[in-house]
Amino acid sequence: PRVGGSASVQTSRSDSNDATDSFQLGFDASWEPDVFGGKRSALRAADSDLQGAQASLAQVQVSMAAEIAVTYIEVRGLQARLAIARSNLAAQTETMQITQWRTQAGLVSALDVEQAVAAKEQTAAQIPALSSSLAQSISSLAVLTGQAPGALQSSLNADSSRTVDIAAAAIPQAPAALAVAIPAQTLRQRPDIRAAEYRISTALSQVAQADAARYPSFQISGSLGLRALTLGALTNGASLLQSILAGVSVPLFDGGAARAQVRVQEAGLEQARVAYEATVLQALKDVEDALVALQNDSERASRLQAAAPAAANADRMARQRYASGL
């Protein structure tokens, strides 16, 4: 129902007669009974739109949080790779010097020296590329957090121009055991799937709203007021004005427009259903791809972890052989 108040003052004069005043004060009310549910369907559609917008907002927040986390891990990973590259460069520089001494002693040929120089320069060439990637990642992280591109340099202990390694935080590690079973209920927690569901609810309500427009609509309105010739008489001796009106509007012929509008909304419902299926399939693909990547990366990491002690032992034995003149 709708209720409104009104007040008016009217002054009128006819020919040589004195002017007469008229004061009126009243209330108006109207109500349209929702017999066939058109208004309720419109309300449900608007509510579904609101929930869909909230789900879309949650999707943006989740995506933003994930992008910030990935970029931060990338920054720490590049810092670690840069430190490793500088350590490798120092080791290869030492190896090159040893090779040069052995060449001067006639123990190896100049070919070994050239190979050592090539390995050293190739490692040195990696450092500018890693420094550039690190600077870009830090700038991206700053922009993602709403800051100027260079605002995070000091807080991340990042200075790619330094030749001496600086202290940097460790690379964040994921939990050792992650849930690999993704039931349907868990998959539905994805904001994009929830938003697609709400779009279906909106389309369903719009179909019902369009269908209700094909049936009669009813309206009840009325007014209650006081009328007097003076302002003071409104509270004593004023005329009481009251009216009530009930109406019905029946669509008789519209050239099929109402029925066509129902078909339009039904087509929108089908579109929302297909979009929902596509969203679910894309979500399943994302999960499957992530699980495969997680499994393969875990296997690769375990292989590298197994190779690391052997590489350290080989390095130690090689240094011992060089130190012994072998």
Side-chain angles (χ1 to χ4, degrees):
R2 296 181 179 179
V3 179
S6 62
S8 63
V9 179
Q10 179 179 356
T11 300
S12 60
R13 176 187 295 237
S14 175
D15 295 334
S16 59
N17 297 328
D18 294 335
T20 59
D21 298 329
S22 175
F23 298 88
Q24 186 170 333
L25 178 67
F27 296 94
D28 302 315
S30 63
W31 179 43
E32 183 177 348
D34 193 20
V35 177
F36 298 101
K39 301 295 183 182
R40 291 191 298 273
S41 298
L43 179 60
R44 286 195 297 268
D47 185 62
S48 296
D49 276 339
L50 171 61
Q51 293 175 326
Q54 291 173 340
S56 297
L57 173 62
Q59 179 182 357
V60 173
Q61 291 172 333
V62 169
S63 300
M64 181 65 68
E67 190 170 356
I68 289 175
V70 169
T71 306
Y72 177 77
I73 293 173
E74 183 179 356
V75 166
R76 293 311 188 189
L78 286 169
Q79 287 178 332
R81 292 174 60 190
L82 191 58
I84 293 171
R86 287 170 177 160
S87 176
N88 289 342
L89 179 60
Q92 289 175 346
T93 300
E94 182 182 357
T95 301
M96 182 188 68
Q97 292 174 349
I98 295 174
T99 305
Q100 290 174 343
W101 295 336
R102 290 172 58 83
T103 302
Q104 293 173 1
L107 299 176
V108 295
S109 66
L111 175 61
D112 295 323
V113 175
E114 296 300 329
Q115 291 175 340
V117 171
K120 169 183 170 295
E121 294 301 330
Q122 288 175 358
T123 301
Q126 296 176 2
I127 294 178
L130 290 173
S131 299
S132 177
S133 298
L134 176 60
Q136 293 173 1
S137 297
I138 293 176
S139 297
S140 298
L141 186 60
V143 172
L144 286 172
T145 55
Q147 303 178 66
L152 298 180
Q153 288 284 345
S154 59
S155 59
L156 292 175
N157 293 328
D159 187 354
S160 59
S161 63
R162 298 188 184 181
T163 58
V164 179
D165 294 337
I166 53 179
I171 302 174
Q173 299 297 317
L178 295 177
V180 294
I182 308 295
Q185 188 63 27
T186 303
L187 196 63
R188 287 186 65 250
Q189 298 307 309
R190 285 177 55 116
D192 54 345
I193 293 182
R194 295 205 308 272
E197 285 183 348
Y198 289 132
R199 284 192 287 269
I200 290 181
S201 299
T202 300
L204 279 169
S205 300
Q206 289 173 342
V207 170
Q209 181 184 1
D211 186 63
R214 300 167 52 203
Y215 300 102
S217 60
F218 304 88
Q219 187 172 10
I220 301 175
S221 61
S223 62
L224 179 65
L226 298 174
R227 184 175 183 180
L229 297 179
T230 62
L231 184 62
L234 283 175
T235 59
N236 185 15
S239 300
L240 179 64
L241 304 177
Q242 54 185 343
S243 65
I244 187 170
L245 173 67
V248 58
S249 176
V250 181
L252 298 178
F253 177 77
D254 61 358
R259 188 177 297 275
Q261 187 63 30
V262 173
R263 292 198 298 270
V264 168
Q265 299 302 331
E266 289 175 345
L269 173 60
E270 178 65 14
Q271 182 180 5
R273 184 191 65 81
V274 173
Y276 173 77
E277 291 182 356
T279 302
V280 172
L281 290 176
Q282 183 62 42
L284 290 172
K285 177 183 178 299
D286 292 343
V287 171
E288 288 294 332
D289 291 348
L291 289 176
V292 171
L294 177 63
Q295 179 180 359
N296 292 332
D297 286 345
S298 298
E299 182 178 356
R300 179 172 179 267
S302 63
R303 299 292 184 182
L304 291 174
Q305 288 171 351
N313 291 334
D315 174 71
R316 184 175 62 255
M317 288 186 290
R319 288 177 181 273
Q320 292 174 352
R321 288 173 59 83
Y322 274 114
S324 302
L326 299 176

